């Protein structure tokens, strides 16, 4: 192993740790309804209803039959899983943390391809922190669909890079990412995947034209 490769791997490992630390700090500071840093219980938001239904589901009650809200079942399942893990909102917090870390890692890998290691890390961190403008106390529907939607955007970008060089073939594995993003949106809120659907439609037209 050369010195340059060793330095590159060390920097990558450090970046992963930094992203985990930032994701943890972000969720701990911004998720007012689930973070152990807040004890007052900010239960005047959508998260309160999601937790009530999730907890009820974890205790054996059925969503839409025993407890009701108009949202799709995916957000209730996340909250139910959190309560099954720890018996409290701490479980939801841990799931949020893992989710945000995954978002940060995907953004970092993507931005590193575009800008290089150092700038890519900075752009990824900026993107994560920018989510604070629309985080709305945490434990929201949009939060849990970020991973498949971001992966779908990465796939669209990757395909566009190839198409720009005349390589129009679309890998089948990209369609899996689109499908997961749309499926989870159907199970929560369909408008979350509007951008993915528009991108897929444009790709279909381009592939048909260059067939």
């Amino acid at each position: 192993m050369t010195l340059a490769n060793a330095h590159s791997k060390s920097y990558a490992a450090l970046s992963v740790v930094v992203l985990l630390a930032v994701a943890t700090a972000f969720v701990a500071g911004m998720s007012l309804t689930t973070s152990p840093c807040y004890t007052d219980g900010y239960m005047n938001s959508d998260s309160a209803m999601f937790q009530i239904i999730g907890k009820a589901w974890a205790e054996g009650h059925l969503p839409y039959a025993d407890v009701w809200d108009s949202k799709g079942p995916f957000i209730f399942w996340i909250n139910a899983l959190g309560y099954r893990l720890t018996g409290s909102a701490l479980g939801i917090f841990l799931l949020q943390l893992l989710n945000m870390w995954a978002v940060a890692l995907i953004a970092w890998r993507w931005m590193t391809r575009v800008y290089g290691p150092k700038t890519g890390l900075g752009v990824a961190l900026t993107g994560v922190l920018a989510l604070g403008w629309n985080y709305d106390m945490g434990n929201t529907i949009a939060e849990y669909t970020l991973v498949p939607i971001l992966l779908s955007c990465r796939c669209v970008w990757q395909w566009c890079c190839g198409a720009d060089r005349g390589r129009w073939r679309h890998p089948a594995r990209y369609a899996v990412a689109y499908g997961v993003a749309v499926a989870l949106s159907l199970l929560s809120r369909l408008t979350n995947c509007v951008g993915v659907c528009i991108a897929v439609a444009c790709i279909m037209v381009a592939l048909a034209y260059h067939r």
Side-chain angles (χ1 to χ4, degrees):
M1 180 184 296
T2 65
L3 184 61
N5 287 338
H7 176 74
S8 177
K9 289 187 175 182
S10 297
Y11 188 81
L14 177 62
S15 297
V16 170
V17 173
V18 169
L19 291 168
L20 174 59
V22 171
T24 302
F26 179 88
V27 177
M30 298 296 295
S31 186
L32 306 184
T33 58
T34 60
S35 172
C37 296
Y38 301 100
T39 58
D40 294 335
Y42 291 83
M43 303 305 286
N44 59 342
S45 65
D46 286 346
S47 176
M49 182 58 69
F50 301 155
Q51 289 188 55
I52 289 171
I53 296 179
K55 183 179 181 182
W57 196 354
E59 293 173 349
H61 301 282
L62 290 177
Y64 311 110
D66 300 321
V67 283
W68 168 261
D69 188 74
S70 60
K71 300 296 190 297
F74 180 58
I75 184 66
F76 306 144
W77 180 81
I78 290 288
N79 281 256
L81 179 59
Y83 271 97
R84 288 289 291 179
L85 288 174
T86 65
S88 68
L90 178 62
I92 302 171
F93 170 78
L94 294 176
L95 294 176
Q96 289 176 277
L97 195 160
L98 292 174
N99 179 74
M100 190 57 64
W101 189 28
V103 169
L105 288 172
I106 294 168
W108 165 62
R109 291 291 298 272
W110 184 3
M111 293 300 102
T112 297
R113 285 284 304 276
V114 178
Y115 299 109
K118 293 183 179 180
T119 304
L121 177 61
V123 173
L125 290 173
T126 301
V128 170
L129 295 176
L131 290 173
W133 289 101
N134 196 36
Y135 199 63
D136 193 26
M137 297 188 183
N139 191 37
T140 61
I141 291 174
E143 179 179 356
Y144 299 113
T145 55
L146 278 175
V147 168
I149 289 174
L150 191 57
L151 279 174
S152 296
C153 292
R154 166 67 190 270
C155 291
V156 171
W157 171 81
Q158 192 73 42
W159 179 82
C160 288
C161 289
D164 194 45
R165 297 176 176 84
R167 298 193 298 269
W168 294 96
R169 181 179 174 276
H170 187 276
R173 65 181 182 276
Y174 291 1
V176 175
Y178 309 150
V180 171
V182 173
L184 292 184
S185 296
L186 280 170
L187 291 172
S188 53
R189 186 173 59 202
L190 187 57
T191 52
N192 288 346
C193 69
V194 168
V196 174
C197 292
I198 292 173
V200 170
C202 291
I203 291 172
M204 290 175 60
V205 171
L207 291 175
Y209 180 80
H210 290 278
R211 186 175 180 180

